[in-house]
Amino acid sequence: MTVADLSTQDRYPTRVDAESAMIRRSDPTVWPGVTAGPATAEELAGHEAKGFHVVEGLLSPAEVQTYWQELERLTRDPEVRADERTIVERSSDEVRSIFEVHRMSELIAELVRDPRVLDRARQILGSDVYVHQSRINYMPGYRGTGFYWHSDFETWHAEDGMPAMRAVSISIALTDNYPFNGGLMIMPGSHRTFVSCVGETPDDNYKSSLKEQRVGVPTEDDITKLAYEHGIEQFTGQAGSALWFDSNCMHGSGNNITPFPRSNIFVVFNSVENALVNPFAAGHPRPGFIASRNPTPILR
């Protein structure tokens, strides 16, 4: 079987049957190919086992302040707010996410190229990488709404045409993450199981799913099975810490009804050897600002 055959073969069918299914992962989590980088053998082993690992103090307090000021600048910029890449909360009209932020901000573009970030992504994926998606998530106090349980790969496979689970995300906290302000919850070990979802993909599904995802989410029975099998952990810690997690981890977050906002920089790295093909369960691909179709390697 050729590389082209592998990229177009649907090994993780979803949104095709009346009932969901649980499919055993057939891809590595930590890929061979790159041995040098900032991640230790213990961190990579933990990532392989749990599907994620945390790097405390990735950014210094001074760097956190710099990026927080950049976030504030972007959210106040009327041109950015009017841009289609900016998503607002369904109920409050406050900024929820700004996509393709590494193209809007040179500061964040530099962060993507930073060896602390780029080289760890290369270690995990075993190859050169490119940015599949970047965004700033801003969960304001009192009115910030969470994200329902989901696997990112299910959407990227179904709607973007990502062939294999060879992508990794980094979420860098710009504010302190407490257990009570909508911190990300994740099921350790869930990355080994692909959960197919029920329901066809509507046209332009991204326009509503970025505010509230209703298609491409697992059933409550499947969430319950995974939760009882794997348990749930939560990403908490000081601003500047970072969570690296596999594209197929089951994760979600609750609403933030506290006064304390929760903001983060979110970057998805995809292997250049895992370039997008036609969507596996959608009529046409999502826009490039959500899912880049240009697999040009990132250079420092």
Side-chain angles (χ1 to χ4, degrees):
M1 185 174 290
T2 66
V3 173
D5 291 332
L6 284 172
S7 67
T8 56
Q9 178 188 10
D10 189 357
R11 292 177 291 131
Y12 303 106
T14 186
R15 309 188 194 183
V16 293
D17 296 315
E19 295 184 0
S20 64
M22 291 195 174
I23 302 169
R24 192 69 179 171
R25 180 193 186 111
S26 58
D27 292 311
T29 304
V30 176
W31 292 69
V34 176
T35 56
T40 65
E42 291 76 17
E43 287 174 325
L44 293 175
H47 190 89
E48 177 76 41
K50 298 173 69 173
F52 62 92
H53 70 284
V54 175
V55 178
E56 302 286 355
L58 176 71
L59 301 182
S60 69
E63 289 175 313
V64 169
Q65 184 64 25
T66 296
Y67 287 110
W68 174 257
Q69 290 171 352
E70 181 71 348
L71 180 151
E72 289 291 288
R73 181 189 71 80
L74 290 169
T75 55
R76 290 194 304 265
D77 188 328
E79 290 188 8
V80 172
R81 188 177 178 86
D83 195 293
E84 66 174 339
R85 293 173 288 184
T86 299
I87 311 300
V88 298
E89 294 280 3
R90 183 182 296 274
S91 57
S92 67
D93 204 40
E94 292 194 52
V95 173
R96 178 179 174 89
S97 301
I98 302 173
F99 280 82
E100 210 173 42
V101 71
H102 72 295
R103 298 197 182 280
M104 290 187 176
S105 165
E106 181 55 35
L107 264 176
I108 296 176
E110 290 175 3
L111 179 62
V112 167
R113 297 190 297 265
D114 191 307
R116 294 174 295 178
V117 175
L118 177 59
D119 289 357
R120 190 177 292 254
R122 295 181 71 253
Q123 274 183 283
I124 294 170
L125 301 181
S127 69
D128 285 331
V129 298
Y130 71 98
V131 175
H132 171 72
Q133 180 187 106
S134 74
R135 66 180 188 259
I136 283 179
N137 289 328
Y138 183 72
M139 183 179 282
Y142 297 114
R143 294 174 294 279
T145 55
F147 293 85
Y148 192 70
W149 289 105
H150 65 285
S151 151
D152 290 327
F153 179 74
E154 194 280 339
T155 295
W156 300 341
H157 185 69
E159 300 185 35
D160 300 333
M162 182 177 288
M165 296 176 183
R166 199 171 180 178
V168 67
S169 302
I170 180 173
S171 176
I172 305 173
L174 296 184
T175 52
D176 291 342
N177 280 242
Y178 303 106
F180 45 74
N181 68 335
L184 187 142
M185 298 176 289
I186 192 166
M187 298 185 187
S190 61
H191 65 296
R192 300 191 192 98
T193 304
F194 178 77
V195 181
S196 72
C197 296
V198 177
E200 294 185 0
T201 308
D203 289 340
D204 294 332
N205 182 51
Y206 75 94
K207 292 182 178 179
S208 60
S209 68
L210 297 180
K211 296 184 179 183
E212 182 181 6
Q213 189 169 1
R214 295 182 179 179
V215 176
V217 295
T219 66
E220 291 185 0
D221 283 347
D222 288 339
I223 294 171
T224 301
K225 290 174 186 175
L226 287 175
Y228 274 94
E229 179 179 358
H230 300 292
I232 297 173
E233 295 186 18
Q234 190 173 38
F235 175 43
T236 59
Q238 293 185 330
S241 57
L243 171 70
W244 288 89
F245 62 104
D246 182 81
S247 60
N248 192 49
C249 283
M250 191 62 64
H251 63 287
S253 60
N255 295 344
N256 182 13
I257 60 172
T258 75
F260 309 109
R262 185 178 70 84
S263 301
N264 66 289
I265 298 172
F266 183 86
V267 183
V268 182
F269 294 97
N270 190 26
S271 168
V272 296
E273 299 172 11
N274 193 37
L276 305 186
V277 295
N278 290 330
F280 289 93
H284 52 83
R286 297 191 297 175
F289 69 85
I290 300 174
S292 173
R293 308 191 76 82
N294 178 16
T296 302
I298 302 169
L299 301 176
R300 279 194 240 144

